Amino acid sequence: MLRGYSDLPLRRVALWGFGLHALWEFAQCTVLYDMWSWGFWRATAWMWGAIAGDVVITLGVALGAALLVGARRLDPPDRAGWTALLGVGFAASVGLEWAAQALDLWGYSDLMPTVTVLGHTVGLSPVVQVTTLPALAVWFATRRHRAT
């Protein structure tokens, strides 16, 4: 049972996820992915679709971590919360990137560093992105400003 999930500020997690992933995607896509031959509108639509998907992934990672350790450990993340967020994010990143490669959804440029995980070669940048940005989105969304 997912106790306390309603205590997580999922709208704020989604908004932080949107901002963090938008910055990441626009910084890396034209360099690390093979998109130069795409037309402007196709590339633009693909980028915004990727960012929307990243927000869904961020929410999925947050809810998956909450299932593992409880939502209270994520508000804000303690050691178990960080471990769950990063672990779920890593598993999601490798699985999703492997699936995208298997379905030939996109290709990497020669500049994309790759890593082999469990016999599957995936891009390092998306693995780092989906491992870290959902955890950071949860942290930003749940941190409390302390009065001085």
Side-chain angles (χ1 to χ4, degrees), residues 32-98:
L32 299 179
Y33 289 89
D34 188 17
M35 297 174 67
W36 287 106
S37 63
W38 295 11
F40 173 78
W41 292 112
R42 178 182 177 206
T44 300
W46 195 261
M47 289 288 291
W48 288 111
I51 293 164
D54 292 336
V55 171
V56 172
I57 293 166
T58 295
L59 293 171
V61 168
L63 293 172
L67 278 171
L68 287 176
V69 297
R72 294 199 195 312
R73 311 264 345 225
L74 303 179
D75 189 12
D78 60 10
R79 184 176 300 225
W82 279 109
T83 301
L85 286 164
L86 294 171
V88 172
F90 180 75
S93 70
V94 172
L96 291 168
E97 196 63 17
W98 177 82

Side-chain angles (χ1 to χ4, degrees), residues 117-143:
V117 179
L118 300 174
H120 301 288
T121 300
V122 294
L124 182 60
S125 179
V127 169
V128 171
Q129 176 186 3
V130 176
T131 299
T132 60
L133 295 189
L136 287 174
V138 170
W139 180 75
F140 279 120
T142 59
R143 68 190 178 129

